[in-house]
């Protein structure tokens, strides 16, 4: 009798293999980087060897300086995400639900969306100076539109037949919205959140290089002044790691909130 389905242990092994393969390319890049540095193909002034970066990371970590900058940057990033993402979610729900709100607001928001957030830097400095408000504003503007667009799209993409069926069972008003429309829009909303989490760190890099006294951007720019390329690379890699952690968190939220969804249930298995 032929085997038609895999056992749970086989599925678990394949899942671990896929998770391991995801780190194959970064490890190969690291090995190539180390070998190139040892062979003398890379000047330490251009790109220090991985061991020098690890040493700089350890020195910053043991002195406590690293954690101060990471905590400040993380606070800024998530404060900007809460402001911009919250507004994007609220307006996306509003314009996605009510036609009159879409008519009044969507065209204006689409025009504003085409303005690059980085083009606003001169105005932001004039409006807010170089204090925390300027950094939060840039991050909030950047994360607003992915959440807004995906929330709007999610609300409008909910199956009309499903809504009619729910109505036939007596659901209406807030109950219909909470039980059918919001769960149906949630996959799209979470896609917007994941996209925003990536943009959040990108915009924070720019915001912290404008002017800051604390944060990963400040640490990196300060190291550049003293030609400490190993510390500069530590700062760059920190942004990459924090962005990856944020993405892992978003995927965990997807699996938790969408555990009822067949597609996400099979992915989590």
């Amino acid at each position: 009798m032929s085997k038609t389905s895999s056992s749970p242990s086989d599925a678990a092994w394949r899942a671990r293999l896929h998770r391991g393969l995801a780190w194959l390319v970064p490890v190969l890049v690291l090995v190539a980087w180390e070998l190139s540095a040892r062979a003398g193909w890379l000047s330490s002034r251009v790109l220090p060897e991985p061991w020098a970066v690890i040493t700089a990371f350890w020195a910053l970590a043991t002195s406590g300086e690293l954690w101060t900058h990471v905590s400040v940057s993380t606070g800024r990033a998530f404060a900007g995400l809460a402001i911009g993402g919250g507004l994007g979610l609220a307006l996306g729900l509003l314009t996605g639900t009510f036609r009159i709100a879409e008519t009044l607001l969507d065209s204006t928001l689409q025009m504003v969306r085409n303005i690059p957030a980085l083009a606003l830097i001169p105005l932001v400095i004039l409006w807010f100076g170089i204090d925390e408000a300027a950094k939060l504003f840039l991050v909030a503007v950047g994360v607003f539109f992915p959440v807004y667009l995906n929330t709007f799209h999610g609300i409008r993409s909910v199956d009309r037949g499903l809504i009619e069926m729910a109505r036939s069972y007596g659901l209406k008003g807030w109950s219909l919205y909470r039980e059918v429309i919001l769960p149906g829009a949630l996959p799209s909303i979470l896609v917007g959140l994941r996209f925003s989490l990536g943009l959040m760190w990108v915009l924070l890099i720019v915001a912290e290089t404008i002017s800051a006294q604390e944060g990963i951007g400040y640490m990196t720019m300060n190291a550049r002044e003293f030609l400490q390329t190993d510390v500069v690379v530590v700062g760059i890699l920190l942004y990459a790691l924090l962005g990856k952690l944020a993405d892992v968190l978003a995927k965990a939220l997807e699996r938790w909130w969408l555990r009822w969804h067949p597609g996400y249930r099979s992915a989590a298995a």
Side-chain angles (χ1 to χ4, degrees):
M1 182 177 176
S2 62
K3 190 176 181 181
T4 57
S5 61
S6 59
S7 65
S9 60
D10 290 339
W13 184 84
R14 281 198 297 271
R16 285 195 293 272
L17 178 63
H18 281 290
R19 283 196 293 270
L21 285 176
W23 292 97
L24 178 62
V25 173
V27 169
L28 289 177
V29 170
L30 192 64
V31 170
W33 179 11
E34 176 68 28
L35 292 177
S36 299
R38 286 177 182 270
W41 297 337
L42 282 176
S43 167
S44 60
R45 290 177 60 84
V46 176
L47 190 64
E49 61 177 316
W51 182 249
V53 175
I54 293 171
T55 304
F57 175 87
W58 181 253
L60 290 166
T62 52
S63 69
E65 183 183 353
L66 181 73
W67 310 119
T68 301
H69 293 306
V70 168
S71 62
V72 169
S73 291
T74 304
R76 282 179 185 143
F78 282 95
L81 177 69
I83 297 169
L87 286 173
L89 178 66
L91 286 176
L93 292 174
L94 186 67
T95 55
T97 306
F98 303 105
R99 292 284 180 185
I100 185 64
E102 179 189 0
T103 304
L104 289 172
L105 298 174
D106 191 62
S107 295
T108 305
L109 290 172
Q110 296 302 330
M111 284 190 287
V112 176
R113 182 172 67 88
N114 290 311
I115 302 173
L118 301 184
L120 296 173
I121 289 177
L123 275 179
V124 169
I125 293 174
L126 288 174
W127 291 341
F128 302 107
I130 55 176
D131 294 331
E132 288 298 304
K135 301 172 185 60
L136 294 181
F137 181 85
L138 281 174
V139 176
V141 167
V143 303
F144 171 86
F145 288 103
V147 175
Y148 169 76
L149 289 172
N150 282 280
T151 303
F152 177 84
H153 174 74
I155 294 289
R156 288 297 169 84
S157 300
V158 177
D159 189 350
R160 296 293 110 182
L162 190 62
I163 294 175
E164 290 304 319
M165 186 174 71
R167 282 179 174 148
S168 69
Y169 280 97
L171 283 178
K172 59 183 179 181
W174 171 242
S175 297
L176 176 66
Y177 203 78
R178 185 188 61 200
E179 301 292 338
V180 178
I181 297 176
L182 273 181
L186 196 54
S188 184
I189 295 172
L190 290 174
V191 169
L193 176 64
R194 284 186 67 183
F195 191 39
S196 292
L197 285 169
L199 275 177
M200 176 182 79
W201 292 109
V202 172
L203 290 164
L204 187 67
I205 295 171
V206 178
E208 287 188 336
T209 54
I210 294 173
S211 179
Q213 297 302 315
E214 288 180 312
I216 301 172
Y218 165 76
M219 182 185 77
T220 306
M221 293 301 291
N222 195 45
R224 183 185 64 87
E225 296 290 331
F226 294 98
L227 299 177
Q228 296 174 308
T229 51
D230 49 355
V231 178
V232 172
V233 175
V234 168
I236 293 169
L237 293 179
L238 276 175
Y239 280 120
L241 286 173
L242 290 170
K244 177 61 180 175
L245 284 175
D247 189 62
V248 168
L249 175 64
K251 289 175 74 173
L253 289 176
E254 277 186 345
R255 286 195 295 273
W256 173 254
W257 283 337
L258 300 175
R259 57 190 183 279
W260 52 270
H261 195 289
Y264 290 89
R265 193 186 306 154
S266 60

